[in-house]
Amino acid sequence: MRLRPIPTAITLALLLATSACQKQETGTSTATPATTQAATAEADAKFADISKRWLDGWLEQQPVSATQTGKHDFDDRIEDLSAAGRQKFVDFSKAALAEVDALDASKLSRENQVDLAILRNQIRYDIWQLDTLQSWAWDPQIYNGLAGGALYTLMAREFAPLPQRLKSATARMEKIPALLAQMRENLDPARVPKIHAETVAKQNAGLNSIVDSMILPHADQLAGEDRKRLEAAAAALKQAVAENQAWLDKTLVPNAKGDFRIGQKLYDEKLAFALNSPLTRQEIRTRAEAAIKQTRAEMYDIARKVLAGKPNAPQAMPDAPSDEQQQKTIEAALELAYADRPARDKVVDVAKQSTAEATAFVKEKQLVSAPDSPVQIILMPEFQRGVSVAYCDSPGPLDKGLDTFYAVSPIPDDWTKEQVDSFLREYNTRSIHELSIHEAMPGHYLQLWHSNKYPSTLRAVLGSGSFIEGWAMYAEKVMDDANYMDGDPLMKLVQRKWALRAFANAILDQAIHVEGMSRDDAMKLMTVTTFQQEREAAGKWVRAELTSAQLPTYFVGYSEHMDLRGEVQKREGDKFNIKAYHDKLLSFGSPPVRFARQLMLDEPIK
């Protein structure tokens, strides 16, 4: 999972610049090349002007997002989610959309045609989220994420001298109590789902942990009034957090009556915005179900070879197994992988080791150009725990030369021995290797490193979730095809199990939010059909309750990546070079795969 807890924004100074020599589409126009180039230059200039003004407004209204992106002019501010603040954002977005819609896309350069389509989708999505989805009225995670992100993004990376960042943190600590007050004013308990209320009630104290662990230990970097102001702001924030905790526990959680399922209309609309893919919900379901069937068949073939001569092998492993025979055979082989697992306190150590091994393998096999700096493996900050096991947190497109974090959530102290055992069976040693491939090398870390080098900052900031998550899953397949870990059959089995998880994600998300899938049915799909352990499946159920239209990004992007590579391989035949292909694909930044395809295959942008 690539971390993007809040929307991102970008600076004007580094607004995308399109090369004058970019290839133009051919058409029926009789204009001379010089005339066409002049028209394109004029259209590109107009697009750049509109984009600059939009980006300027976006930055102004999303200062926490701006910090995350690497634009630090507003590090002392936070978002305004009051009624007036929300309306200002909507009015601004509608005015920008009118200008964008008035542009003639056919006159733009190909790269700007892509960026125009991405920008239009984002503006429409912003309006839809505020006016139609209205998550500000029912999802307390928004406020919690902004409050934690406001401080964490300042302190996690050394983009400026520490005293300067502490002064910005002081200003934001002074403003967070007002954001928490907006939470209490905006949220309608009748619309807030119980799981959302309970999750934020557990995370709320994480704000204090950021203050105590990342800010106050450095208070001596300030002197005089600056230090007094910091300490006073920290004390006031802690009081505000305590007051908010009381409201969460006594008012919101007991009275939260909302349905976490957003329903078919909202789901389909959100899915279209989030994926920006030609695939419909129904097509995604059909593809995912077919992929599960094929992958289970591959796992059965691997399992039969692994179990040959083993004492725990099922008695019958025929060429054409029944569903029960297939299930038992795969489960028996997976037990061999589960037996090799880290100690409770060694998960992060194994993540570090596996990342180093995956990096060496990518370089040895010349699979793709690798980053020139290492990723930092860290414990996941407390205020972000509870949704996923790990994430990749790359620096913003404007923060150059800073660390990327591969954050791993520690096993909770209050888990029972049985819960820990279930977790470590799922995240056995080979699974952590798979996790490191996905989050770091050659997954998110590598792809985002390439993306941040692309000259269009707009495209980097508005990166496609399905391209990014799809690439990370595709990276797992690339490593498997290259026989990572010397072609270890248990590693191949685990890789396919992880693929099954992504296929199930795509089904779960729509089945839960649109079809009303029960927890029991969801758990069966995860624990039986796709071989997940109870702790993993229980956590995924919570994640599906807390989010929507994010879980399908893995499979949709993966499917599109696989389709695109297959077509390029077919066209190039023996001339196909996987490293050259990957480097070219990643040179486009992080656009929706539909646009990467059009750029790669020289198709019309639409």
Side-chain angles (χ1 to χ4, degrees):
M1 174 183 180
R2 180 228 185 177
L3 177 65
R4 273 289 182 253
I6 49 181
T8 51
I10 97 174
T11 183
L12 309 181
L14 294 180
L15 180 64
L16 57 112
T18 304
S19 170
C21 64
Q22 285 172 338
K23 185 173 181 180
Q24 304 299 311
E25 290 184 56
T26 58
T28 58
S29 172
T30 58
T32 65
T35 302
T36 301
Q37 289 177 4
T40 296
E42 182 179 354
D44 283 349
K46 188 173 183 179
F47 173 64
D49 174 64
I50 292 173
S51 298
K52 286 180 181 180
R53 287 185 279 108
W54 176 78
L55 293 167
D56 189 22
W58 221 44
L59 280 171
E60 232 181 299
Q61 297 174 83
Q62 299 186 106
V64 176
S65 304
T67 300
Q68 186 183 20
T69 305
K71 174 63 174 174
H72 298 292
D73 294 36
F74 310 107
D75 284 352
D76 59 346
R77 308 179 195 177
I78 61 175
E79 275 75 339
D80 179 8
L81 294 182
S82 67
R86 299 194 308 270
Q87 190 59 51
K88 180 181 178 183
F89 198 176
V90 170
D91 292 344
F92 157 77
S93 298
K94 288 181 177 179
L97 183 60
E99 288 195 86
V100 165
D101 285 343
L103 289 172
D104 183 352
S106 66
K107 294 182 178 179
L108 293 171
S109 61
R110 283 175 58 80
E111 295 291 344
N112 273 346
Q113 287 178 20
V114 170
D115 286 356
L116 173 63
I118 293 171
L119 176 57
R120 178 185 287 112
N121 186 74
Q122 181 62 48
I123 296 172
R124 293 178 61 231
Y125 196 12
D126 287 342
I127 296 169
W128 180 84
Q129 289 186 93
L130 287 166
D131 278 353
T132 303
L133 186 63
Q134 297 184 346
S135 50
W136 51 266
W138 57 265
D139 189 356
Q141 295 179 102
I142 293 173
Y143 304 89
N144 183 70
L146 277 174
L151 302 179
Y152 180 75
T153 54
L154 290 174
M155 305 308 298
R157 291 187 173 89
E158 297 180 2
F159 59 81
L162 184 54
Q164 179 181 330
R165 290 183 286 129
L166 287 170
K167 290 178 183 179
S168 296
T170 298
R172 283 186 169 175
M173 285 192 292
E174 292 171 340
K175 295 176 176 64
I176 289 174
L179 177 67
L180 299 180
Q182 288 174 359
M183 175 200 291
R184 297 191 292 271
E185 180 181 352
N186 292 344
L187 291 177
D188 177 0
R191 297 178 64 184
V192 176
K194 177 76 78 174
I195 184 64
H196 291 65
E198 292 174 341
T199 298
V200 170
K202 293 176 183 177
Q203 293 175 335
N204 183 62
L207 277 172
N208 289 337
S209 72
I210 297 176
V211 174
D212 290 337
S213 64
M214 303 181 78
I215 297 176
L216 288 179
H218 306 293
D220 59 0
Q221 294 289 312
L222 300 179
E225 290 302 317
D226 288 335
R227 178 165 182 172
K228 289 180 181 178
R229 183 182 168 194
L230 182 149
E231 291 174 343
L237 176 55
K238 288 190 175 185
Q239 179 62 34
V241 169
E243 292 172 357
N244 202 53
Q245 189 71 55
W247 178 79
L248 289 168
D249 293 338
K250 297 178 181 178
T251 300
L252 187 63
V253 172
N255 295 291
K257 308 295 183 185
D259 187 351
F260 67 86
R261 307 173 197 271
I262 66 174
Q264 179 177 332
K265 182 178 183 298
L266 290 177
Y267 183 86
D268 285 346
E269 291 172 353
K270 186 175 183 180
L271 192 70
F273 283 124
L275 298 181
N276 203 350
S277 167
L279 293 176
T280 66
R281 170 168 53 89
Q282 294 80 3
E283 289 170 334
I284 294 168
R285 178 70 173 263
T286 299
R287 281 192 174 208
E289 289 175 343
I292 287 176
K293 183 177 181 180
Q294 177 182 335
T295 302
R296 282 179 57 100
E298 292 175 4
M299 292 176 74
Y300 178 73
D301 289 340
I302 295 170
R304 283 203 302 169
K305 295 174 184 176
V306 166
L307 292 169
K310 296 288 194 304
N312 65 324
Q315 290 185 347
M317 296 187 292
D319 291 341
S322 66
D323 290 345
E324 182 180 0
Q325 289 171 328
Q326 184 188 68
Q327 186 76 21
K328 288 183 176 180
T329 301
I330 297 172
E331 286 177 347
L334 284 171
E335 285 296 328
L336 300 177
Y338 298 157
D340 181 6
R341 54 189 192 241
R344 176 178 185 150
D345 60 347
K346 297 298 182 182
V347 173
V348 174
D349 291 339
V350 176
K352 291 179 179 179
Q353 176 188 344
S354 58
T355 299
E357 291 179 12
T359 300
F361 184 83
V362 168
K363 293 178 178 179
E364 176 192 351
K365 297 295 183 180
Q366 291 287 294
L367 299 177
V368 57
S369 293
D372 50 14
S373 58
V375 63
Q376 301 297 318
I377 293 93
I378 65 169
L379 285 178
M380 187 182 295
E382 184 178 348
F383 81 99
Q384 290 170 333
R385 297 174 192 172
V387 178
S388 63
V389 172
Y391 63 70
C392 178
D393 180 10
S394 63
L398 310 182
D399 273 331
K400 304 301 181 182
L402 299 183
D403 289 338
T404 291
F405 299 136
Y406 165 18
V408 181
S409 181
I411 296 175
D413 292 336
D414 61 354
W415 274 16
T416 65
K417 183 179 181 301
E418 290 74 20
Q419 289 174 317
V420 172
D421 182 68
S422 174
F423 178 86
L424 290 177
R425 282 166 61 83
E426 185 72 18
Y427 288 92
N428 55 76
T429 300
R430 289 177 178 83
S431 282
I432 295 177
H433 274 266
E434 198 72 16
L435 183 68
S436 296
I437 290 169
H438 182 100
E439 300 294 347
M441 285 291 291
H444 287 320
Y445 168 51
L446 179 141
Q447 186 267 315
L448 294 170
W449 177 79
H450 278 272
S451 181
N452 284 346
K453 295 170 64 178
Y454 184 74
S456 169
T457 309
L458 176 69
R459 196 178 296 179
V461 170
L462 301 182
S464 162
S466 58
F467 184 102
I468 294 166
E469 296 294 0
W471 168 268
M473 184 180 173
Y474 167 79
E476 299 171 35
K477 179 70 164 59
V478 169
M479 294 290 273
D480 176 73
D481 288 344
N483 288 323
Y484 180 62
M485 293 181 67
D486 297 323
D488 171 31
L490 287 180
M491 186 66 201
K492 288 183 172 294
L493 196 67
V494 166
Q495 184 272 326
R496 283 158 178 77
K497 174 183 165 173
W498 272 60
L500 283 181
R501 289 182 8 165
F503 306 154
N505 285 349
I507 296 172
L508 279 171
D509 197 60
Q510 60 175 265
I512 289 169
H513 284 281
V514 176
E515 302 164 20
M517 174 182 270
S518 68
R519 186 182 189 278
D520 286 346
D521 287 342
M523 293 294 286
K524 182 178 179 181
L525 173 63
M526 289 184 280
T527 60
V528 178
T529 306
T530 59
F531 305 102
Q532 298 173 50
Q533 294 298 302
E534 187 275 337
R535 279 293 84 194
E536 171 66 19
K540 189 65 61 64
W541 169 258
V542 171
R543 181 172 169 184
E545 290 178 291
L546 292 171
T547 65
S548 56
Q550 193 277 328
L551 286 173
T553 57
Y554 305 87
F555 174 65
V556 171
Y558 169 77
S559 295
E560 293 178 323
H561 276 298
M562 291 297 295
D563 289 348
L564 175 55
R565 194 184 88 175
E567 187 158 350
V568 173
Q569 280 185 282
K570 184 177 180 180
R571 288 189 180 192
E572 296 186 359
D574 293 340
K575 296 180 180 179
F576 179 80
N577 178 278
I578 195 165
K579 182 175 184 291
Y581 169 79
H582 289 154
D583 286 353
K584 183 177 180 180
L585 175 66
L586 296 182
S587 75
F588 300 137
S590 302
V593 183
R594 67 191 298 175
F595 298 128
R597 173 191 177 86
Q598 290 159 10
L599 290 170
M600 178 74 78
L601 301 178
D602 199 25
E603 296 176 346
I605 306 299
K606 58 183 180 179

